């Protein structure tokens, strides 16, 4: 098993590159999806988050956490963000460890698609760190167009993440997403070839 961390700033193209790597044979673990799963009603982390942030972060007349509202609360206040991370990160780490354990004796190339690989200490378990980069203007435009995010929301999230320069300094492989989706597919070919080499294939 080769464990690959795939990270980069919000909107840089992690999930898009992860999907391209699946097409080439990677097994992808989506940390964001594990986080969403951890916050489903009734889960231990759901209870902790509702205790911490109150019923007002629930969707009206529902037990679902309103993720947009929760995000706007925590990205406005670093202490609250730290409190949320302290609840959710250990659950994500546990779930990632469980997935990796299942694949340990396989010859899979496992890609961890995670915005916060360095912040959570996951970089300790990865063999290869891939960082995807894109100019900040492109990231902003894509997030506004594709995810309907506001300029303020984007700025708050970018400010809470490790700077791209630091990610690049730690990267084993840098994938550029400064062009079209076709360009990114070519980067995916290059990254995959490099991963195959590192996996000894
Ligand atoms: P991340 O996972 O790093 O936050 P995504 O992969 O979700 O970023 O990309 C953000 C948005 O930008 C997505 O909706 C994606 O479809 C779009 N996108 C990514 N790369 C490109 C590109 N090269 N050209 C156009 N749109 C892109």
């Amino acid at each position: 098993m080769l464990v690959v961390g795939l990270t980069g700033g919000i909107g840089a193209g992690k999930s898009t590159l992860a999907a391209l790597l699946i097409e080439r044979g990677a097994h992808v673990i989506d940390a964001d999806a594990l986080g969403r799963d951890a916050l489903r009603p009734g889960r231990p982390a759901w209870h902790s988050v509702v205790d911490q942030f109150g019923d007002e972060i629930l969707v009206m007349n529902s037990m679902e956490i309103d993720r947009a509202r929760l995000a706007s609360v925590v990205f406005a206040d670093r202490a609250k963000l730290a409190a949320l991370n302290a609840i959710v990160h250990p659950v994500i780490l546990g779930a990632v460890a469980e997935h990796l354990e299942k694949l340990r004796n396989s010859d899979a190339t496992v890609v961890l698609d995670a915005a916060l690989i360095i912040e959570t200490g996951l970089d300790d378990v990865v063999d290869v760190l891939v960082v995807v980069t894109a100019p900040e203007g492109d990231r902003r435009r894509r997030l506004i167009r594709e995810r309907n995010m506001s300029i303020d929301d984007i700025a708050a999230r970018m400010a809470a993440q490790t700077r791209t320069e630091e990610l690049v300094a730690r990267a084993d492989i840098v994938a550029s997403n400064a062009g079209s989706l076709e360009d990114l597919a070519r980067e995916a070919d290059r990254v995959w070839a490099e991963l195959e080499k590192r996996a000894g294939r």
Side-chain angles (χ1 to χ4, degrees):
M1 174 175 76
L2 182 75
V3 183
V4 181
L6 172 58
T7 197
I10 183 166
K14 288 178 296 298
S15 302
T16 311
L17 181 58
L20 292 165
L21 293 175
I22 289 175
E23 289 173 9
R24 286 153 181 79
H27 181 111
V28 171
I29 299 175
D30 178 349
D32 231 32
L34 294 177
R36 281 196 297 277
D37 199 49
L39 291 181
R40 290 213 326 253
R43 293 293 176 94
W46 177 90
H47 285 286
S48 306
V49 167
V50 176
D51 281 350
Q52 178 89 36
F53 295 97
D55 288 354
E56 55 273 22
I57 53 114
L58 295 177
V59 175
M60 192 88 85
N61 299 321
S62 154
M63 303 299 271
E64 296 283 338
I65 289 174
D66 183 332
R67 292 175 56 83
R69 194 170 312 155
L70 180 59
S72 68
V73 170
V74 300
F75 284 109
D77 182 332
R78 276 182 171 264
K80 289 184 178 166
L81 179 60
L84 177 64
N85 287 343
I87 295 168
V88 178
H89 285 175
V91 184
I92 295 179
L93 290 179
V96 167
E98 227 172 84
H99 276 275
L100 291 179
E101 187 53 39
K102 282 191 198 131
L103 294 162
R104 203 148 66 103
N105 295 319
S106 73
D107 66 353
T109 293
V110 184
V111 174
L112 294 177
D113 172 3
L116 301 175
I117 286 187
I118 289 166
E119 293 84 340
T120 54
L122 270 170
D123 57 331
D124 285 346
V125 305
V126 310
D127 302 309
V128 185
L129 185 64
V130 177
V131 171
V132 55
T133 64
E136 234 173 75
D138 288 358
R139 290 165 59 196
R140 267 196 215 97
R141 271 192 296 280
R142 290 170 189 159
L143 291 168
I144 291 167
R145 191 181 60 224
E146 311 278 341
R147 287 203 213 145
N148 246 325
M149 288 179 69
S150 73
I151 290 278
D152 288 350
D153 282 349
I154 294 168
R157 280 166 178 71
M158 285 183 172
Q161 294 183 329
T162 304
R163 290 164 48 79
T164 302
E165 293 78 358
E166 189 183 337
L167 295 179
V168 167
R170 290 170 180 246
D172 298 299
I173 303 174
V174 177
S176 163
N177 185 20
S180 67
L181 290 171
E182 290 72 29
D183 295 330
L184 185 61
R186 273 189 289 278
E187 281 291 85
D189 284 334
R190 185 178 66 79
V191 170
W192 184 247
E194 179 66 28
L195 295 177
E196 287 284 275
K197 202 158 75 190
R198 291 185 187 228
R201 284 189 278 264

